[in-house]
Amino acid sequence: MHEKSPVTLIVAILFCCLAGCHPPADDNANPKATAEATGDLLHFAVIPKGENHIYWQSVRIGAEQAAKEVGARITFKGPAKESDRSEQIDVFQGFLNAQVDGICLAPLDADALVRPVEEAKRAGVPVVIFDSGLNAKPEDYVAFVATDNFRGGQIAADAMAASLGDDGGKVICLRYHQGSDSTHRREEGFLDGIAKYPNIDVISSDQYSGTTTESAVDKAQALFNRFGENVDGVFTACEPNAEGMLRAIRDRGLAGKVKLVAFDSSDSLREAMSAGHVAAIILQDPVRIGNLAVKTLAASIRGETVEKNVDTGIFVATKKNQDEPAIARLLNPPQS
């Protein structure tokens, strides 16, 4: 590696990621295994981490599409705040008391939701975990449907290195929320990946933005107050902390100077990338995640064999490839 230009290597890495990560086309026995999806519709609860962010609305679209295909109906309900573990537990318990036929759950906290899922297992209600992991015994849930978030963080590190070039620089990894398994894996993947680049120094990786754009703005401003002009790049692990960081960067007149690599898309992040204010956006396929979560749950109830871990793909968008149809679809997924 010492005989080749770092830029050449970085470009090659990103090319491989893009070439090998083409978005796909839309496409455990339990007491309810004999249920049929014909006649009376199966009733599934789909419990996201929240309902406000664009990502979750796209998940809902995928879940509703799948429900129509498998002959089921869904109720989509999450907590008002993505930091409210107690409310998500209450929502889960409410659906369990209502005797739904199955539950798709995106756990706010990898530990706090273990006991409710165990209770569902005892009650004979199958649960598919989606989007974010749960520290439960594998036999307590049907399957895990999600992005490979650690790999996504590694790809974000390669994108950051490409944007900084030969000179490298000082970067910040702004974390999201303690207990969130999906974002934790992204953050750890980023730190693992960026360690390959000796010309890049991570100057902060222990700060959490909180679950709203407003709290992320405050944390970002505090970081800039601390490090001043010694910040060359920032990685943000999800939509709300990316939005907050982008706002702070613009407020400081640093747009385009500080290389921002975001995870998950939104209208403002997409427009910022076109303007050169965001270096790259790491993309999931939220419609596919919602779709496969519901289909996996239905297949399990019918007694079919399902994969325990379903990888829904990870992709990287830049200003150069943003208009490619497959990437454009993921940058602007359906929301209603």
Side-chain angles (χ1 to χ4, degrees):
M1 289 182 65
H2 296 93
E3 297 176 0
K4 297 182 179 180
S5 163
V7 174
T8 300
L9 286 173
I10 294 165
V11 171
I13 289 168
L14 283 178
F15 178 80
C16 290
C17 291
L18 289 167
C21 297
H22 296 296
D26 288 330
D27 17 343
N28 310 333
N30 57 67
K32 295 180 180 287
T34 59
E36 295 292 337
T38 56
D40 293 335
L41 293 179
L42 291 169
H43 181 199
F44 296 157
V46 179
I47 307 175
K49 291 182 177 181
E51 298 185 40
N52 295 328
H53 298 138
I54 290 171
Y55 175 85
W56 298 116
Q57 295 307 312
S58 298
V59 168
R60 180 173 189 163
I61 292 296
E64 290 174 343
Q65 289 173 350
K68 291 178 181 178
E69 293 179 34
V70 303
R73 65 184 178 93
I74 66 165
T75 302
F76 188 91
K77 181 175 176 57
K81 297 180 179 179
E82 291 196 21
S83 58
D84 198 334
R85 300 169 177 84
S86 296
E87 185 181 356
Q88 191 180 48
I89 291 170
D90 290 344
V91 170
F92 188 100
Q93 189 63 54
F95 281 125
L96 202 56
N97 293 340
Q99 299 182 325
V100 294
D101 295 296
I103 298 173
C104 295
L105 170 69
L108 264 177
D109 189 291
D111 296 311
L113 275 295
V114 169
R115 184 171 294 179
V117 170
E118 292 174 343
E119 184 178 346
K121 170 72 172 180
R122 290 192 295 270
V125 178
V127 177
V128 166
I129 304 300
F130 74 96
D131 177 74
S132 193
L134 185 71
N135 294 329
K137 293 179 290 187
E139 59 268 28
D140 286 342
Y141 59 90
V142 171
F144 178 45
V145 178
T147 302
D148 183 342
N149 286 294
F150 190 85
R151 178 62 184 143
Q154 292 176 318
I155 292 174
D158 292 335
M160 178 66 75
S163 67
L164 292 174
D166 286 349
D167 293 336
K170 299 181 184 298
V171 303
I172 290 171
C173 173
L174 179 59
R175 295 180 182 267
Y176 175 56
H177 182 65
Q178 288 180 311
S180 170
D181 180 79
S182 58
T183 51
H184 175 74
R185 290 182 184 275
R186 294 169 199 169
E187 294 149 7
E188 293 304 303
F190 177 80
L191 295 175
D192 176 83
I194 212 70
K196 297 185 304 182
Y197 300 98
N199 60 342
I200 297 177
D201 181 26
V202 178
I203 58 176
S204 175
S205 63
D206 62 353
Q207 298 298 300
Y208 289 83
S209 71
T211 60
T212 67
T213 297
E214 290 70 26
S215 64
V217 171
D218 292 342
K219 181 60 67 175
Q221 294 287 16
L223 285 167
F224 283 122
N225 287 339
R226 176 181 175 186
F227 295 107
E229 299 295 319
N230 295 319
V231 181
D232 300 298
V234 180
F235 169 64
T236 53
C238 62
E239 178 195 336
N241 72 343
E243 294 275 6
M245 178 56 72
L246 176 63
R247 190 183 301 175
I249 286 173
R250 285 174 165 169
D251 287 348
R252 297 250 172 177
L254 298 174
K257 298 177 183 178
V258 173
K259 307 301 182 182
L260 176 59
V261 176
F263 209 110
D264 289 338
S265 183
S266 69
D267 291 345
S268 59
L269 290 171
R270 189 171 63 251
E271 292 165 2
M273 187 168 68
S274 296
H277 297 172
V278 171
I281 302 175
I282 312 304
L283 299 169
Q284 306 181 80
D285 191 338
V287 174
R288 181 172 169 81
I289 291 172
N291 189 279
L292 290 182
V294 169
K295 285 183 177 177
T296 299
L297 182 58
S300 172
I301 288 175
R302 289 175 176 146
E304 300 173 16
T305 300
V306 299
E307 293 183 32
K308 194 67 179 180
N309 293 287
V310 181
D311 183 355
T312 55
I314 189 73
F315 320 99
V316 57
T318 64
K319 188 174 182 179
K320 289 184 178 180
N321 75 346
Q322 65 181 342
D323 294 324
E324 295 177 9
I327 295 298
R329 177 179 69 84
L330 296 178
L331 279 170
N332 190 24
Q335 302 164 32
S336 60

